[in-house]
PDB file of all heavy atoms in Angstrom:
ATOM      1  N   VAL Y   7       4.292   9.601  -0.489  1.00  0.00           N
ATOM      2  CA  VAL Y   7       4.177  10.175  -1.835  1.00  0.00           C
ATOM      3  C   VAL Y   7       4.395  11.680  -1.820  1.00  0.00           C
ATOM      4  O   VAL Y   7       5.050  12.232  -2.701  1.00  0.00           O
ATOM      5  CB  VAL Y   7       2.792   9.829  -2.434  1.00  0.00           C
ATOM      6  CG1 VAL Y   7       2.516  10.645  -3.678  1.00  0.00           C
ATOM      7  CG2 VAL Y   7       2.720   8.351  -2.750  1.00  0.00           C
ATOM      8  N   PRO Y  11       3.898  14.180   6.324  1.00  0.00           N
ATOM      9  CA  PRO Y  11       2.554  13.775   6.765  1.00  0.00           C
ATOM     10  C   PRO Y  11       1.516  14.777   6.263  1.00  0.00           C
ATOM     11  O   PRO Y  11       1.741  15.995   6.338  1.00  0.00           O
ATOM     12  CB  PRO Y  11       2.640  13.814   8.294  1.00  0.00           C
ATOM     13  CG  PRO Y  11       4.097  13.822   8.611  1.00  0.00           C
ATOM     14  CD  PRO Y  11       4.791  14.477   7.457  1.00  0.00           C
ATOM     15  N   GLU Y  23      -9.177   5.043   0.812  1.00  0.00           N
ATOM     16  CA  GLU Y  23      -9.292   6.401   0.270  1.00  0.00           C
ATOM     17  C   GLU Y  23      -7.939   7.094   0.256  1.00  0.00           C
ATOM     18  O   GLU Y  23      -7.572   7.762  -0.713  1.00  0.00           O
ATOM     19  CB  GLU Y  23     -10.314   7.206   1.088  1.00  0.00           C
ATOM     20  CG  GLU Y  23     -11.755   6.788   0.813  1.00  0.00           C
ATOM     21  CD  GLU Y  23     -12.730   7.315   1.857  1.00  0.00           C
ATOM     22  OE1 GLU Y  23     -12.284   7.720   2.969  1.00  0.00           O
ATOM     23  OE2 GLU Y  23     -13.937   7.295   1.577  1.00  0.00           O
ATOM     24  N   SER Y  39       6.092  14.445 -15.340  1.00  0.00           N
ATOM     25  CA  SER Y  39       7.466  14.174 -15.726  1.00  0.00           C
ATOM     26  C   SER Y  39       7.547  13.742 -17.186  1.00  0.00           C
ATOM     27  O   SER Y  39       8.428  14.185 -17.933  1.00  0.00           O
ATOM     28  CB  SER Y  39       8.028  13.086 -14.805  1.00  0.00           C
ATOM     29  OG  SER Y  39       9.431  13.104 -14.812  1.00  0.00           O
ATOM     30  N   ASP Y  43       9.335  15.520 -20.416  1.00  0.00           N
ATOM     31  CA  ASP Y  43      10.235  14.826 -21.353  1.00  0.00           C
ATOM     32  C   ASP Y  43       9.845  15.149 -22.796  1.00  0.00           C
ATOM     33  O   ASP Y  43      10.677  15.528 -23.621  1.00  0.00           O
ATOM     34  CB  ASP Y  43      10.135  13.298 -21.170  1.00  0.00           C
ATOM     35  CG  ASP Y  43      10.824  12.815 -19.918  1.00  0.00           C
ATOM     36  OD1 ASP Y  43      11.716  13.534 -19.420  1.00  0.00           O
ATOM     37  OD2 ASP Y  43      10.470  11.722 -19.428  1.00  0.00           O
TER      38      ASP Y  43
ATOM     39  N   ARG G  30     -15.458  15.137   3.133  1.00  0.00           N
ATOM     40  CA  ARG G  30     -15.475  14.985   4.595  1.00  0.00           C
ATOM     41  C   ARG G  30     -14.310  15.728   5.251  1.00  0.00           C
ATOM     42  O   ARG G  30     -14.229  15.809   6.468  1.00  0.00           O
ATOM     43  CB  ARG G  30     -15.380  13.505   4.977  1.00  0.00           C
ATOM     44  CG  ARG G  30     -16.464  12.640   4.360  1.00  0.00           C
ATOM     45  CD  ARG G  30     -16.665  11.349   5.124  1.00  0.00           C
ATOM     46  NE  ARG G  30     -15.434  10.611   5.359  1.00  0.00           N
ATOM     47  CZ  ARG G  30     -14.914   9.714   4.528  1.00  0.00           C
ATOM     48  NH1 ARG G  30     -15.495   9.468   3.371  1.00  0.00           N
ATOM     49  NH2 ARG G  30     -13.812   9.065   4.843  1.00  0.00           N
ATOM     50  N   GLN G  42       0.988  20.850  -0.334  1.00  0.00           N
ATOM     51  CA  GLN G  42       1.983  19.780  -0.249  1.00  0.00           C
ATOM     52  C   GLN G  42       2.112  19.057  -1.593  1.00  0.00           C
ATOM     53  O   GLN G  42       3.220  18.736  -2.031  1.00  0.00           O
ATOM     54  CB  GLN G  42       1.585  18.759   0.831  1.00  0.00           C
ATOM     55  CG  GLN G  42       1.792  19.260   2.251  1.00  0.00           C
ATOM     56  CD  GLN G  42       1.344  18.242   3.278  1.00  0.00           C
ATOM     57  OE1 GLN G  42       0.199  17.787   3.256  1.00  0.00           O
ATOM     58  NE2 GLN G  42       2.243  17.880   4.175  1.00  0.00           N
ATOM     59  N   ARG G  46       5.269  18.767  -4.090  1.00  0.00           N
ATOM     60  CA  ARG G  46       5.765  17.457  -4.520  1.00  0.00           C
ATOM     61  C   ARG G  46       5.888  17.413  -6.039  1.00  0.00           C
ATOM     62  O   ARG G  46       6.896  16.936  -6.563  1.00  0.00           O
ATOM     63  CB  ARG G  46       4.804  16.377  -4.030  1.00  0.00           C
ATOM     64  CG  ARG G  46       4.924  15.013  -4.728  1.00  0.00           C
ATOM     65  CD  ARG G  46       6.242  14.336  -4.441  1.00  0.00           C
ATOM     66  NE  ARG G  46       6.378  13.091  -5.184  1.00  0.00           N
ATOM     67  CZ  ARG G  46       6.905  12.982  -6.387  1.00  0.00           C
ATOM     68  NH1 ARG G  46       7.373  14.076  -7.003  1.00  0.00           N
ATOM     69  NH2 ARG G  46       6.995  11.812  -6.992  1.00  0.00           N
ATOM     70  N   ASP G  51      10.540  17.585 -10.570  1.00  0.00           N
ATOM     71  CA  ASP G  51      11.183  18.007 -11.827  1.00  0.00           C
ATOM     72  C   ASP G  51      11.892  19.341 -11.675  1.00  0.00           C
ATOM     73  O   ASP G  51      12.183  20.003 -12.688  1.00  0.00           O
ATOM     74  CB  ASP G  51      10.125  18.131 -12.937  1.00  0.00           C
ATOM     75  CG  ASP G  51       9.508  16.789 -13.287  1.00  0.00           C
ATOM     76  OD1 ASP G  51      10.274  15.872 -13.611  1.00  0.00           O
ATOM     77  OD2 ASP G  51       8.268  16.677 -13.212  1.00  0.00           O
ATOM     78  N   ARG G  54      15.154  20.039 -13.761  1.00  0.00           N
ATOM     79  CA  ARG G  54      14.938  20.186 -15.218  1.00  0.00           C
ATOM     80  C   ARG G  54      14.186  21.468 -15.526  1.00  0.00           C
ATOM     81  O   ARG G  54      14.463  22.145 -16.519  1.00  0.00           O
ATOM     82  CB  ARG G  54      14.188  18.977 -15.754  1.00  0.00           C
ATOM     83  CG  ARG G  54      15.064  17.723 -15.817  1.00  0.00           C
ATOM     84  CD  ARG G  54      14.482  16.676 -16.715  1.00  0.00           C
ATOM     85  NE  ARG G  54      13.212  16.188 -16.221  1.00  0.00           N
ATOM     86  CZ  ARG G  54      12.377  15.478 -16.960  1.00  0.00           C
ATOM     87  NH1 ARG G  54      12.653  15.237 -18.237  1.00  0.00           N
ATOM     88  NH2 ARG G  54      11.247  15.037 -16.452  1.00  0.00           N
TER      89      ARG G  54
END
Side-chain angles (χ1 to χ4, degrees):
Chain Y
V7 168
E23 286 165 343
S39 200
D43 286 338
Chain G
R30 304 201 309 272
Q42 286 178 305
R46 162 66 184 90
D51 294 305
R54 287 198 296 166

